[in-house]
Amino acid sequence: MGTQTRKPENEPHQPVEDPAAFGTYSSPPCFMHELDPSFVGLDGGSERIGDPPLPAGSLDWPAIRQWRKATRTQLIERRLQIGSAERADWSGRIDKALAEALSSASGKLVGFYWPFRGEYDARTLLTGLRTRGVRLALPVVVAKAQPLQFREWWPGVAMSRGVWNIPIPAEGEPLLPDILLAPLVGFDVSGFRLGYGGGFYDRTIAAMPSKPQTIGVGFELSRLDTIHPQPHDMRMDLIITERASTP
């Protein structure tokens, strides 16, 4: 996708009549860097599908960053190719594991994401948990290279289009989630998450005065031996896929 104009956070929001129409959008941190690399301070450059594995000893950050870009592309393409029957089956298994992980979340605030590009969709499960006192919040990008804010969300809440027309709750005080669900482009056996490259989740978790429980959620086909974690990468407390829950 090409670079697009960024809409300032303080512009008047246009109300959106049907929040369900947002089903095809991503949550703000998921896709920002691909829309405008300069917004999150990433370098440009091509992203080549089929790059070889990172050679042993190539542990400098530029090499790792390029490897992550190529790996990210391959994993997203693989995820998009999941058949509808498999997706329904795998998502149902994740639903069960995630419901168990959130069994004691009554009265807590759960930050979640809007699914995009074949990601696991937790919305039905999470909406159902509201009957048990679980509160929900969506992330909002407020400034370049800054932590996310979270605003409370519930079905029917007024929504607007934020940066690059991505849906966000139109109003609300900034909140700190007790539990944070993070989408997985990839993940490794040590619990480190490969995201979309913008660094928003790592930056946000690191800036929180009290670290939330972090749960990475995705499909098993995204498993990697390692993402070659760097000091800025935040380890997930739990990884949930259709096959396993990994502390």
Side-chain angles (χ1 to χ4, degrees), residues 171-211:
E171 298 178 344
E173 294 297 321
L175 301 172
L176 293 175
D178 303 297
I179 301 170
L180 181 57
L181 305 186
L184 302 175
V185 173
F187 68 98
D188 66 21
V189 295
S190 297
F192 287 102
R193 166 186 173 270
L194 180 66
Y196 286 89
F200 281 98
Y201 278 96
D202 292 328
R203 188 179 299 114
T204 300
I205 294 167
M208 287 182 172
S210 178
K211 183 179 180 291

Side-chain angles (χ1 to χ4, degrees), residues 133-153:
V134 174
R135 298 165 60 209
L136 304 174
L138 284 173
V140 177
V141 174
V142 294
K144 175 181 176 179
Q146 293 299 312
L148 301 164
Q149 283 187 4
F150 285 84
R151 295 177 185 169
E152 190 164 6
W153 176 90

Side-chain angles (χ1 to χ4, degrees), residues 13-25:
H13 292 292
Q14 297 298 318
V16 178
E17 296 298 329
D18 182 11
F22 292 144
T24 58
Y25 288 87

Side-chain angles (χ1 to χ4, degrees), residues 219-234:
F219 298 113
E220 187 69 22
L221 55 75
S222 298
R223 182 185 292 271
L224 301 166
D225 289 336
T226 181
I227 70 160
H228 301 283
Q230 301 298 295
H232 64 267
D233 290 311
M234 303 296 291

Side-chain angles (χ1 to χ4, degrees), residues 103-152:
S103 60
S104 60
S106 178
K108 295 183 179 179
L109 181 68
V110 177
F112 74 108
Y113 60 92
W114 223 263
F116 188 63
R117 301 191 81 181
E119 291 173 340
Y120 162 74
D121 186 351
R123 289 176 295 178
T124 299
L125 170 67
L126 294 177
T127 300
L129 293 180
R130 293 185 67 252
T131 62
R132 293 166 35 192
V134 174
R135 298 165 60 209
L136 304 174
L138 284 173
V140 177
V141 174
V142 294
K144 175 181 176 179
Q146 293 299 312
L148 301 164
Q149 283 187 4
F150 285 84
R151 295 177 185 169
E152 190 164 6

Side-chain angles (χ1 to χ4, degrees), residues 3-48:
T3 300
Q4 299 188 19
T5 303
R6 175 162 56 96
K7 175 182 176 181
E9 174 66 15
N10 60 0
E11 280 191 12
H13 292 292
Q14 297 298 318
V16 178
E17 296 298 329
D18 182 11
F22 292 144
T24 58
Y25 288 87
S26 71
S27 53
C30 292
F31 209 46
M32 296 296 95
H33 69 292
E34 295 195 20
L35 292 171
D36 184 353
S38 66
F39 183 68
V40 290
L42 298 180
D43 295 336
S46 62
E47 190 165 331
R48 297 169 298 179

